[in-house]
Amino acid sequence: MSTERPLLFALQGSEHYAVRIAQRLGCQLAVHEERDYEDGEHKCRPLESVNGREVVVFHSLYGDGRQSANDKLCRLLFFCAALKDAGARHVQVVTPYLCYGRKDRRTQPQDPTITRYLAAMIEACGVDRLIALEVHNPAAFNNAFRIPAWNVQCTELFAQHFARLVGDDEVVSVSPDSGGAKRAEQFRQALELQLGRSVGSALMEKHRDQATLTGTLLAGKVQGKTAIIFDDLISTGETLKHAGLACQKAGAVRLFAAATHGLFTAGSRLFDRPLFAHIAISDSVPPLRLPAECVTQHLHILDSTTLVAALLAENGAFDRA
Amino acid sequence: MSTERPLLFALQGSEHYAVRIAQRLGCQLAVHEERDYEDGEHKCRPLESVNGREVVVFHSLYGDGRQSANDKLCRLLFFCAALKDAGARHVQVVTPYLCYGRKDRRTQPQDPTITRYLAAMIEACGVDRLIALEVHNPAAFNNAFRIPAWNVQCTELFAQHFARLVGDDEVVSVSPDSGGAKRAEQFRQALELQLGRSVGSALMEKHRDQATLTGTLLAGKVQGKTAIIFDDLISTGETLKHAGLACQKAGAVRLFAAATHGLFTAGSRLFDRPLFAHIAISDSVPPLRLPAECVTQHLHILDSTTLVAALLAENGAFDRA
Amino acid sequence: MSTERPLLFALQGSEHYAVRIAQRLGCQLAVHEERDYEDGEHKCRPLESVNGREVVVFHSLYGDGRQSANDKLCRLLFFCAALKDAGARHVQVVTPYLCYGRKDRRTQPQDPTITRYLAAMIEACGVDRLIALEVHNPAAFNNAFRIPAWNVQCTELFAQHFARLVGDDEVVSVSPDSGGAKRAEQFRQALELQLGRSVGSALMEKHRDQATLTGTLLAGKVQGKTAIIFDDLISTGETLKHAGLACQKAGAVRLFAAATHGLFTAGSRLFDRPLFAHIAISDSVPPLRLPAECVTQHLHILDSTTLVAALLAENGAFDRA
Amino acid sequence: MSTERPLLFALQGSEHYAVRIAQRLGCQLAVHEERDYEDGEHKCRPLESVNGREVVVFHSLYGDGRQSANDKLCRLLFFCAALKDAGARHVQVVTPYLCYGRKDRRTQPQDPTITRYLAAMIEACGVDRLIALEVHNPAAFNNAFRIPAWNVQCTELFAQHFARLVGDDEVVSVSPDSGGAKRAEQFRQALELQLGRSVGSALMEKHRDQATLTGTLLAGKVQGKTAIIFDDLISTGETLKHAGLACQKAGAVRLFAAATHGLFTAGSRLFDRPLFAHIAISDSVPPLRLPAECVTQHLHILDSTTLVAALLAENGAFDRA
Amino acid sequence: MSTERPLLFALQGSEHYAVRIAQRLGCQLAVHEERDYEDGEHKCRPLESVNGREVVVFHSLYGDGRQSANDKLCRLLFFCAALKDAGARHVQVVTPYLCYGRKDRRTQPQDPTITRYLAAMIEACGVDRLIALEVHNPAAFNNAFRIPAWNVQCTELFAQHFARLVGDDEVVSVSPDSGGAKRAEQFRQALELQLGRSVGSALMEKHRDQATLTGTLLAGKVQGKTAIIFDDLISTGETLKHAGLACQKAGAVRLFAAATHGLFTAGSRLFDRPLFAHIAISDSVPPLRLPAECVTQHLHILDSTTLVAALLAENGAFDRA
Amino acid sequence: MSTERPLLFALQGSEHYAVRIAQRLGCQLAVHEERDYEDGEHKCRPLESVNGREVVVFHSLYGDGRQSANDKLCRLLFFCAALKDAGARHVQVVTPYLCYGRKDRRTQPQDPTITRYLAAMIEACGVDRLIALEVHNPAAFNNAFRIPAWNVQCTELFAQHFARLVGDDEVVSVSPDSGGAKRAEQFRQALELQLGRSVGSALMEKHRDQATLTGTLLAGKVQGKTAIIFDDLISTGETLKHAGLACQKAGAVRLFAAATHGLFTAGSRLFDRPLFAHIAISDSVPPLRLPAECVTQHLHILDSTTLVAALLAENGAFDRA
């Protein structure tokens, strides 16, 4: 058993994220080979000996133009299994964005619970520990995995960011739906701590009449305040837009939005008529579906690698000579 | 492999529930022995041969004066393992009340996720399938178990009950906190279906100022309406009471409450100054901490055994000769 | 436990194959839902109740323009796990084409052995049995799976096909490399049986000089004979082309080729200068990368569904009322 | 992976035992939280970071007035699982008294074998090693666990104790039933070694006539000797009493008794008419059902923590800086 | 899934035993191939299709001149795994003699507990249930296996046999050591039931002085009685001989011995000076190390196949058409 | 957890091999006990404490006059399980000869795949890693094991040996059948590297006519060359003999043979009419079936322990103080 420092690997597309973590931990990414075959299959293998070593593998599991989320998932799984075969002592996976987080419970009869299947497959490939950034449903995630699986929440990161911006404004933390209420409340508390003064809370909820969506319920005071809508991810951006409009209508004087994962699956549509002073996201998913000017004008991308690096270093594994 | 009908066993304290299911399925409870030892340990064994048989075991896992929830859990686990040892082909467990449903996620560092540990232990004892009534957090439950584990929701049951009561009142379904919003919305939809007309929705949320609870947020209209507060369980009853008072203050003309599991851990305190026309609960937990007059005056206990019997019969196992 | 006949499901893209099997077994495909999300994720669920049922799922795991092999694999895995969750008693998978068959052993240090990882993932998702058509390396396949996993060889199918074609020609079965020698020998024996007379054998092997490929070794007599090159799959077609040219050069008077899986990853390149009277493939992979005229002029597509249907029916599961 | 010394946790009720072990190992108990809920459920979590650490958890699994054996078992299991979730590298459990030791084999049809179910549950919760004091049936225990599970026998401890007491008496080691014969023989040998002279052996066995217990068989010479009845545990004390009376009747001049676990489930009944000069027990179970004067007059409580501490230190884990 | 009757296979050397069971169950043994290779390895495979079938495999795991116990064990394991691979739905193993029953607990530091390793290996090869005849240590056996594993005790068989022989004699059941006391007591009770009158009990125990074996302790009355020494197995026969001599010396007027498994590893040495009117054994191990005259003069071999056949038929599996 | 160097154990018959490895690693073999019982069973246990230690166990699994391959396999399995029970942290097995390598795939219906069963049993006994020398079918081996399992190829060893012998001869590497083509090609490349010049390749294949073996196909030029027939093992030697004769007939001027494992199950028959200048084998199996003069005249035994020692030392485990 080696007492050397862990080896860090980043699969294709996740190098930029991983290299910043490596720098924070004072090391370099280890080298591996990813080979694509003409039939769409692939082969990954480490080029440095992993026998007896602790290993960390980085891969953010969003689909992009070249690889689907499934493609990235399979690469990650096969690579981790290969590391174990090659004698790696402990394989830790970091997924800045963990896919299938919203397929987390049965809502219709015979529905899949993909979060759990993912966990079973990850375990079947010999992964010893998983670190994910801001998962969609922490309760689902906490129960799905039987290996240690840790959810790194980005609340602090966003609280620090907005504390610097809001000046003396009255601020309210807004959850865009009831499912995110706990998350928005945690953000509210973190922001209170940063600001040293009271922050309000508000909650949106869809309003239905005999199964038709008829409007949006807004609980809490936003009138005359700076409203920060807080969510885990932005997909098409519709949820955010509705929440923004409701806050605007209710008299909010300034609007911000924050979400760890910026997927922007509808492209720049959210920015056609800008509602928000800006939207803060993390670096878990690069804004690949947005034009450059959208990114520079409307987004603030916060660096989440400090959080992950701190967690990786927590048990002293990187203190070795 | 036997083609006989499944055998049904009920552990001590759950016979009343199970016997009604047996009747609906046209059979009798099978006989077993439960022996207590002077050191507090016990031994359960089936007295009918289970070799090659499908078996269903009933046990509601609430603590009472004689046995804690842990005591009941251990009895259930050891009995199921004994059934498997004795050759039972398929062991299905029905827990009208599944314990530890609220220890479902990490809220503080290094918190346990007991729902999942429960699942692992149940699986380790050879249980093949679990049926639970109205679990606290369906997402946690769906992910915790790797055997088929089914959550029987009681929404229909309560919707039918209240549809008969509300006459032409304007009705609103109220969730006492954001965590229960999806559940109250399902109830609202079921009630709309029963009534054939629109039912409103409202949502409570605790309001905090710099970490102190300062009040309750109520979103949605209750003024002049019959408000039905809908939750999964009643523990001390404090949540229900706060929600009831808030609805009263907001002008609700009549108040009901409904919850599948009536634990009433604070005894009759909730009924000192009755807020609700009545509270509807299911028969998953007998109202053992309440005086008889409380039960007769304030509670309506709905029979959930139709739901469970229907699910058990679904695959035709009870159609055999 | 149901005594009904098994339910048959086919995932998107594999319906044509499955429906023919269903017809042979005298039943219809069961209905399911496949829903795609804007972020590239998906959800599949059965629309018929699978509680207590035996289920067969069909999916051919080749990548096409819409879904990569990984996409199909993940769909298959998640769907099987959902079937198990929903109470299916036995889930059997049929993969006419099983992906990653050529990533079957370590050839370089720290290489993955993906066949085995696939097996572990398939098992982790609750699959009870796997049937694959003509796997690349039967020894790898036989060892990778710990559930029953059966390789359906198409030797008979091709032997019957060619027996009808070769008339009184002297015939030789040619393996295009040493790895396929056992497969070509099985074909030779099957053809002998069909023809009732002797069939020759020949074997190609790459010839190297100090690591450079310098030519092709051909062992066995092909002069004046009808040569049938027999392999498991056609990828780019280069291997087949070299073998065909070598046979031509060695005096073969007529050339055929046969392979169970026609991937044709290099498109129609193999047919630019047609070497073969025709190429026989099975219906495991539709010739989606070939223009229609290639298919009609150069290919004979043999129906493999009789073989699979026979195997599924072997244990009497489809004889039930 | 940490190279720090293991963390030691003791669950409620086992602190006294654990703290003495910690002292012997030169460290302090780590801090954790145990929170009880109004419905009888609980939550335990470590308050010191266990990420990457080796951990030892102490809990003696006897029922007392506040918690049943099942309650203690569940606390232990859930706490260990939480440690693993929180990243503990190796979790070792020490149970001075392991419950359900006497439910170790089938004696009636379809009997449970709870020792084994316990093992399966302990393993399901991620425990890596178990140390138990003087288990009831070593063969059952050795076979039940698939993790390393070690039985610390207290023979030496009792041999040293009695060697100091017996002076020049002729001594005989008496097993109160045939099941304990091996244990009493080990004690006899240990005592011989301590005394440097011969020690006799005797064996009691129940005598039945057509299924009615009619008396006690005593094999071996006790006449004129100091008899030490040696057993693993004292439950009601009836077995010990019968053995004592038989020895008295057979002419033993002085009587002692020794048992590792003093449960005394019948309270002080055994001491109504004191038979024994004294009874030596270990500190695995505090004499909570006995009045203080019983303890001071009739019991000698031997300290077993030296044995456990030595075993924990054996592999050098506590030698680290 | 087949509803046909189970298939019965017997590995080489166990055909005689199995064929009698098959006759009792009204069926024939299924056919298989056992092939030996020149390097001492072998290959077994079923020659009848086992797809979807329940299967019972018989093998008695004693070593003989041609195959060691390990050889038989490996054949059994590999054959069972092959049955599962070939699609057998349920594989049940019957071992009239289960090897390594006496390596059941740690008696020296770092001792193996082979009973448990055997269980783990049997489970790893896919065996679903095990039936063994009269295992050495039921507690060890009950705990070792996590699949249903049943110990068929032969007490009844021997009680019936001796009830016919003893006439009006006073009879005593003698255990040759303390480890067998429970077994001899069960025999005593069964014999009482058969005879309808009282049967005495006696117990031998080795007597040691400072670690040297100095004699044998005999508890209980044998004077003037017919003594039946009852044990699970006869290895060299030394234990039996010492017990017999002790009974003789203590005045027994007639001596019998009974043991389920007659290994006679020291050949006919036990019969050099015949002590016993006869020795009754079962047919679990053929008396292959004894000359024919020993068998005819000194042994009575009881047929245990009724017991096993009854157990196999218990769940109705052989009642099918 | 210990940071001491690994302990090395060698089971009976494998000491000579292991001791040479120990010397290369600068340590001594650890001591254990192997005890044989009169019934053919055995017991092995370590005599040095393994608690917390890394352990390597050596055993070459060929059958010899005293123990069959199954006997050795069972000893190895039980010993490894005992090491784990006794607290060993990591158990690594080295099998210079791994048995059942040729039972690696289904060639007839319902055939066993013993390689995989072996893997499952080895894993069930707690082995953490396996190192085997030159396995028969690397693809089967790579897929069979789910623990890290490494195949040490001896190609280099033989290339070095023959490079010293062949002088300026033209050399050709000959595979005796198509299954060994990859292995012979690897040897050819290694020899080219050693010699710095071109080495030819040739391939034998059995030739059949309507299922009767009618001759041998030889592809490649051997005329006038030194031919080295390269295989993984020599069983009866028939394959080698046929290949040698074919090369001789085809004009080879000098013949050598090389195979890692020399079983020589037909004794010295291969040497009755010596074909080969000599045969090079490794030390994985001692030539126990050959008379001494055969060994000295016809065999060169190469030392493979350097290869294994290098692999064991790779992760630095033997660099500790």
Side-chain angles (χ1 to χ4, degrees), chain D residues 104-106 116 123 137 139-140 142-146 149 178 181-182 188 192 198 203 208-210 217 219-220, chain E residues 104-106 116 123 137 139-140 142-146 149 178 181 188 192 198 203 208-210 217 219-220:
Chain D
D104 59 338
R105 52 175 286 186
R106 271 168 228 132
R116 175 160 52 82
E123 290 168 32
N137 184 335
N142 287 175
N143 282 283
F145 286 85
R146 296 199 171 174
S178 64
K182 275 175 194 154
R188 197 192 61 75
E192 270 190 347
S198 182
L203 170 62
R208 282 181 187 81
D209 196 352
Q210 291 190 268
L217 255 169
Chain E
D104 59 339
R105 53 175 284 186
R106 270 167 228 132
R116 176 160 52 83
E123 291 169 31
N137 184 335
N142 287 176
N143 282 283
F145 286 84
R146 297 202 171 172
S178 64
R188 196 192 60 76
E192 272 190 346
S198 183
L203 171 61
R208 282 183 187 81
D209 197 354
Q210 291 190 268
L217 254 167

Side-chain angles (χ1 to χ4, degrees), chain A residues 104 143 192 198 209-210, chain B residues 104 106 143 192 198 209-210:
Chain A
D104 58 338
N143 283 283
E192 272 190 346
S198 183
D209 197 353
Q210 291 191 266
Chain B
D104 59 337
R106 269 169 229 131
N143 283 283
E192 272 189 345
S198 181
D209 196 355
Q210 289 191 268

Side-chain angles (χ1 to χ4, degrees), chain C residues 104-106 113 115-116 119-120 123 137-140 142-146 149 178 181-182 185 188-189 192 196-198 201 203 205 207-211 217 219-220, chain F residues 104-106 113 115-116 119-120 123 137-140 142-146 149 178 181-182 185 188-189 192 196-198 201 203 205 207-211 217 219-220:
Chain C
D104 60 337
R105 53 175 285 187
R106 270 167 229 133
T113 47
T115 312
R116 175 159 53 82
E123 291 169 31
N137 184 335
N142 288 175
N143 282 283
F145 286 85
R146 297 200 170 173
S178 63
K182 275 175 194 154
E185 171 61 18
R188 197 192 61 75
Q189 291 178 23
E192 272 190 345
R197 57 189 165 90
S198 183
S201 88
L203 169 62
E205 186 59 351
H207 189 70
R208 282 181 186 80
D209 197 354
Q210 291 191 268
L217 254 169
Chain F
D104 59 338
R105 53 175 285 187
R106 271 168 229 133
T113 47
T115 312
R116 175 162 51 83
E123 291 169 31
N137 184 335
N142 287 176
N143 282 283
F145 286 85
R146 297 201 170 173
S178 64
K182 275 175 194 153
E185 171 61 18
R188 197 192 61 75
Q189 290 177 23
E192 272 190 345
R197 56 187 167 90
S198 184
S201 88
L203 170 62
E205 186 59 351
H207 188 68
R208 282 182 186 80
D209 196 353
Q210 290 190 269
L217 256 168

Side-chain angles (χ1 to χ4, degrees), chain C residues 270-281:
Chain C
L270 180 62
F271 305 100
D272 289 351
R273 295 166 141 225
L275 264 171
F276 301 99
H278 75 246
I279 298 177
I281 61 169

Side-chain angles (χ1 to χ4, degrees), chain D residues 168-219:
Chain D
D168 296 328
D169 299 1
E170 273 196 274
V171 187
V172 59
S173 161
V174 184
S175 173
D177 56 24
S178 64
K182 275 175 194 154
R183 184 178 285 113
E185 170 63 17
Q186 284 167 339
F187 171 66
R188 197 192 61 75
Q189 291 177 22
L191 193 55
E192 270 190 347
L193 223 70
Q194 290 284 335
L195 294 173
R197 57 187 166 92
S198 182
V199 170
S201 88
L203 170 62
M204 313 288 305
E205 186 58 351
K206 274 121 193 164
H207 187 67
R208 282 181 187 81
D209 196 352
Q210 291 190 268
T212 348
L213 191 68
T214 53
T216 315
L217 255 169
L218 175 60

Side-chain angles (χ1 to χ4, degrees), chain C residues 156 159-161 163-164 189-197:
Chain C
E156 286 300 320
Q160 286 163 13
H161 171 73
R164 283 192 297 268
Q189 291 178 23
L191 193 55
E192 272 190 345
L193 222 70
Q194 290 284 335
L195 294 174
R197 57 189 165 90

